[in-house]
Amino acid sequence: HAEVVSLEKTGGKLSGARVHDTLTGEEFIIQARGIINAAGPFVDRIRQMDDAQAAPILKAASGIHIVLDGRFAPPDTGLLIPKTEDGRVLFILPWQGHALVGTTDSPAEIMDHPQAKEEEIAYVLRHINKYFDMGVTRQDVSSVWCGLRPLIQADPSANTAQLVREHLLMESNAGLISMAGGKWTSYRKMAEEAVDQAVKSFNLTHAGPCQTENLPIVGAEHFAPAARDELASEMGLPGDVAEHLHKTFGDEAGKVAALAHTGFEARLHAAHPYIEAEVVYAARHEYAQRAIDVIARRLPLALVDLVAAKTVLPRVIDIMAKELGWDSTRCAEENNRAQQRLETAL
């Protein structure tokens, strides 16, 4: 929720950034020995804060995913449509107890919240029904979402399916290190290259090389498959709730389960395994600041079932208000913001 609005320079070299706090409206300057620009599809926007004449390096492509009931995908098997009518590939994958289907690849404008188009949804449904005897209709779609791929524009005349999916590390004359392009599957490699370049370029003599290769994500260090059964038996959680917490939080799941026994064991929605304790945990330990942070970014509820997300929103706001000290005005603002986002998701 902190937005960079400009970059600061001293003697022609970058020395910090002016930041706008979107929660309080405050603006302030953060001083820094160096800046890494890892802004995904917005990399060029930051590069042009450093150098207004910098030529764009990226071209965005949008991709959508639709979510269907779990009966449309085998529980442990992904399905592949190897070639669609225009040469693309579609997947049907089991995910969060549902079937995740995608994706498309279309030229797109770079924006904060790209929207899925009805023709893209129809494209995906058409191919599902062409290759599988599922009888899927638009009414079967419980959620749909759209994302942007930051593609390196090696050839401005190429279409988005032909553009480079790899990443590119650059450093400007003023010292801005930009990591452009790339994919989720290569994020650790991108981090390693960017950090190692920063250590060298910014003369960070107290720092060694990037350690990401040996750094487990939170919840992974002591993850044990048997812990799922312990959550169910020892913590008294329903089987689907224990399975969800185990897969989502790993070795941190016990902390969420302990919170559940302080009065937050109820499901947020009867049809899903997400519980109230996860909202408390997100507010206390995962820096959730807005209601939409919880229902769309900490929990995947808005990504799998938009109607359910709208239904649980008042309870999520009530829990967060008590945790974070919101007054009635802030609660109304959170409701309006979240409803606006949810209305544009389908």
Side-chain angles (χ1 to χ4, degrees), residues 271-283:
H272 298 279
Y274 317 124
I275 59 175
E276 292 180 351
E278 294 176 76
V279 182
V280 179
Y281 189 84

Side-chain angles (χ1 to χ4, degrees), residues 58-137:
L58 295 181
K59 187 173 183 179
S62 67
I64 73 161
H65 287 86
I66 67 171
V67 179
L68 306 172
D69 186 88
R71 72 180 188 275
F72 291 109
D76 299 309
T77 304
L79 302 174
L80 168 69
I81 299 176
K83 191 172 184 180
T84 62
E85 60 197 27
D86 55 359
R88 289 183 263 182
V89 173
L90 289 180
F91 293 91
I92 304 176
L93 302 172
W95 182 68
Q96 296 289 325
H98 291 68
L100 180 67
V101 189
T103 179
T104 57
D105 195 319
S106 305
E109 177 186 352
I110 296 176
M111 62 179 67
D112 286 342
H113 304 300
Q115 303 299 310
K117 299 177 181 177
E118 282 298 326
E119 56 263 34
E120 293 179 300
I121 300 171
Y123 170 91
V124 174
L125 292 175
R126 186 166 66 251
H127 283 87
I128 295 174
N129 287 316
K130 180 178 179 180
Y131 289 93
F132 302 101
D133 185 19
M134 294 182 175
V136 186
T137 69

Side-chain angles (χ1 to χ4, degrees), residues 57-334:
I57 193 67
L58 295 181
K59 187 173 183 179
S62 67
I64 73 161
H65 287 86
I66 67 171
V67 179
L68 306 172
D69 186 88
R71 72 180 188 275
F72 291 109
D76 299 309
T77 304
L79 302 174
L80 168 69
I81 299 176
K83 191 172 184 180
T84 62
E85 60 197 27
D86 55 359
R88 289 183 263 182
V89 173
L90 289 180
F91 293 91
I92 304 176
L93 302 172
W95 182 68
Q96 296 289 325
H98 291 68
L100 180 67
V101 189
T103 179
T104 57
D105 195 319
S106 305
E109 177 186 352
I110 296 176
M111 62 179 67
D112 286 342
H113 304 300
Q115 303 299 310
K117 299 177 181 177
E118 282 298 326
E119 56 263 34
E120 293 179 300
I121 300 171
Y123 170 91
V124 174
L125 292 175
R126 186 166 66 251
H127 283 87
I128 295 174
N129 287 316
K130 180 178 179 180
Y131 289 93
F132 302 101
D133 185 19
M134 294 182 175
V136 186
T137 69
R138 182 65 173 82
Q139 286 65 45
D140 291 313
V141 178
S142 60
S143 189
V144 58
W145 25 282
C146 183
L148 295 177
R149 300 183 190 90
L151 305 176
I152 296 174
Q153 194 170 220
D155 179 1
S157 65
N159 65 40
T160 55
Q162 297 171 328
L163 292 179
V164 179
R165 259 63 173 171
E166 301 306 317
H167 59 271
L168 176 65
L169 187 67
M170 301 171 288
E171 184 170 351
S172 74
N173 292 333
L176 179 67
I177 293 177
S178 295
M179 177 56 78
K183 302 176 290 186
W184 282 116
T185 49
S186 56
Y187 78 97
R188 293 241 187 187
K189 176 64 173 174
M190 295 164 66
E192 182 178 282
E193 291 181 11
V195 169
D196 286 348
Q197 184 63 41
V199 170
K200 176 182 177 181
S201 296
F202 305 146
N203 193 29
L204 305 180
T205 55
H206 61 288
C210 180
Q211 299 297 306
T212 187
E213 183 176 358
N214 301 309
L215 186 67
I217 62 173
V218 173
E221 187 171 3
H222 303 293
F223 179 81
R228 173 190 57 200
D229 299 328
E230 295 174 8
L231 286 172
S233 59
E234 296 179 17
M235 304 298 287
L237 297 173
D240 63 332
V241 173
E243 176 79 7
H244 158 65
L245 294 182
H246 177 66
K247 287 185 174 180
T248 302
F249 295 95
D251 62 31
E252 298 283 300
K255 297 179 181 179
V256 184
L259 276 176
H261 290 300
T262 65
F264 298 102
E265 71 279 358
R267 293 175 188 260
L268 287 168
H269 192 280
H272 298 279
Y274 317 124
I275 59 175
E276 292 180 351
E278 294 176 76
V279 182
V280 179
Y281 189 84
R284 293 182 185 178
H285 304 292
E286 297 182 333
Y287 306 102
Q289 296 294 309
R290 293 197 178 279
I292 195 68
D293 287 345
V294 171
I295 59 176
R297 302 187 184 109
R298 305 304 188 274
L299 300 178
L301 185 54
L303 301 180
V304 299
D305 190 338
L306 197 64
V307 173
K310 294 177 181 178
T311 301
V312 308
L313 180 59
R315 180 56 180 152
V316 169
I317 291 175
D318 180 58
I319 295 172
M320 294 188 74
K322 291 182 174 62
E323 284 294 315
L324 302 177
W326 293 348
D327 58 18
S328 59
T329 300
R330 175 66 184 271
C331 289
E333 178 191 356
E334 290 299 320

